[in-house]
Amino acid sequence: MPTVRSGPVIGLSAQLVVLAALAATVGLSTAGWLAGAGYAALTCLALSRGLHLSGASRLGPADRVTLARAVLVGAVTALVVDSFGHPTPVGLLVALSTVALLLDAVDGQVARRTGTVSALGARFDMEVDAFLILVLSVYVAPAAGSWVLAIGAMRYVFVAASAVLPWLRGALPPRYWRKVVAAAQGVLLTVAAARVLPEPWTTVVLVTALALLVESFGRDVAWLWRRRPAPRRADPLPVPGPAGAAITALPAAPIAPPAAPVAVPLLPLGGHPPVVVPPLLPVPTPALAARSGGTVHSDWRP
């Protein structure tokens, strides 16, 4: 029987309490309730599975901070979905997003100071960041234009593309600029969501966020493309030998073209081995590039 981890269950319970508080204060529609509760349930299941696969029995100190961020993101998700039906308190939405972004700088420090840095914690932090950026882009898009959705969807498009193109799953070298760009997305989207700037300046802020994201992803994709594995050379085909055994046909060495217009293998006669006339053109032997394994390492892309 699988072990029940208390951390994810506590997070789910906290999320339901926060949603109930929102419903009692600012009001929350059925759609907002379903969105927030669904997000909390998926987070609970994914985190429980991550703990099981990593062999951990409980969350670390930094993971608890990230779990608190996830609860705040769930509240933002409920408010954003609720905004499609009736006006949402912008100040509350911006405040929740701001606290979630500030705590993003806390969980990493806690992990380093307590010596509890883990792959699960890094992935959990990355997923919370990515989903907050997606939700904020959905909230800003109706006023700024549907093109803003590209900011929130770019990371998920990258993940989907890596499922089809294996070379996108190569290991990327650490790059501090990637972290700066990831952090800037949440800040710039929160500024746009606050609606404190004139519309032209809000557009400039969003265009800047998208441009930074395209540059960062574009550089990583170009790096992976240049180091993608070369196509594997086909194995030599066996041909029947004079006694029924298989003899491997090897490519002929590069030599000058013979005078004959075609290359014709001469069949064996009387038990003698076959004689092969060299081909018109040498057979190239491509070099195989080293394959890069692992997964993409960055703040908010797998």
Side-chain angles (χ1 to χ4, degrees):
M1 182 176 181
T3 304
V4 177
R5 270 77 176 181
S6 60
V9 176
I10 292 174
L12 175 61
S13 303
Q15 186 72 80
L16 296 178
V17 170
V18 170
L19 294 176
L22 290 177
T25 54
V26 299
L28 203 60
S29 65
T30 303
W33 260 105
L34 292 176
Y39 163 84
L42 289 177
T43 301
C44 179
L45 292 175
L47 191 54
S48 298
R49 176 174 172 79
L51 287 170
H52 173 72
L53 294 177
S54 64
S57 59
R58 59 182 179 178
L59 298 176
D63 299 331
R64 298 189 190 102
V65 177
T66 308
L67 184 60
R69 294 181 55 231
V71 171
L72 295 175
V73 173
V76 173
T77 301
L79 290 175
V80 169
V81 173
D82 203 47
S83 68
F84 293 109
H86 56 81
T88 296
V90 178
L92 179 60
L93 186 147
V94 170
L96 293 172
S97 301
T98 301
V99 175
L101 292 172
L102 291 175
L103 289 178
D104 189 23
V106 175
D107 51 9
Q109 293 182 3
V110 172
R112 288 186 292 271
R113 291 180 179 179
T114 58
T116 55
V117 177
S118 65
L120 173 62
R123 182 62 183 267
F124 185 27
D125 179 70
M126 175 187 66
E127 296 297 342
V128 172
D129 289 342
F131 195 77
L132 176 59
I133 291 171
L134 174 63
V135 171
L136 289 176
S137 66
V138 170
Y139 178 73
V140 174
S146 58
W147 61 270
V148 179
L149 295 174
I151 298 176
M154 191 170 299
R155 184 256 175 180
Y156 296 99
V157 171
F158 182 89
V159 173
S162 65
V164 181
L165 304 172
W167 57 268
L168 283 176
R169 298 193 291 268
L172 285 167
R175 185 158 52 90
Y176 183 74
W177 177 246
R178 190 183 299 123
K179 299 180 179 180
V180 174
V181 172
Q185 301 304 307
V187 175
L188 295 176
L189 283 169
T190 301
V191 171
R195 301 172 183 171
V196 294
L197 298 176
E199 184 176 348
W201 284 104
T202 300
T203 301
V204 170
V205 167
L206 294 172
V207 169
T208 301
L210 182 58
L212 290 173
L213 203 57
V214 169
E215 184 276 335
S216 181
F217 271 96
R219 185 188 300 186
D220 287 345
V221 170
W223 194 93
L224 292 170
W225 170 260
R226 290 193 298 267
R227 289 158 180 81
R228 70 192 186 280
R232 300 180 60 183
R233 184 177 59 181
D235 295 332
L237 299 176
V239 296
I247 299 178
T248 301
L250 299 176
I255 59 174
V262 293
V264 181
L266 302 182
L267 300 178
L269 297 175
H272 296 286
V275 179
V276 179
V277 179
L280 292 176
L281 296 175
V283 178
T285 305
L288 296 179
R291 304 192 73 174
S292 59
T295 57
V296 177
H297 174 74
S298 71
D299 277 3
W300 62 305
R301 64 195 76 164

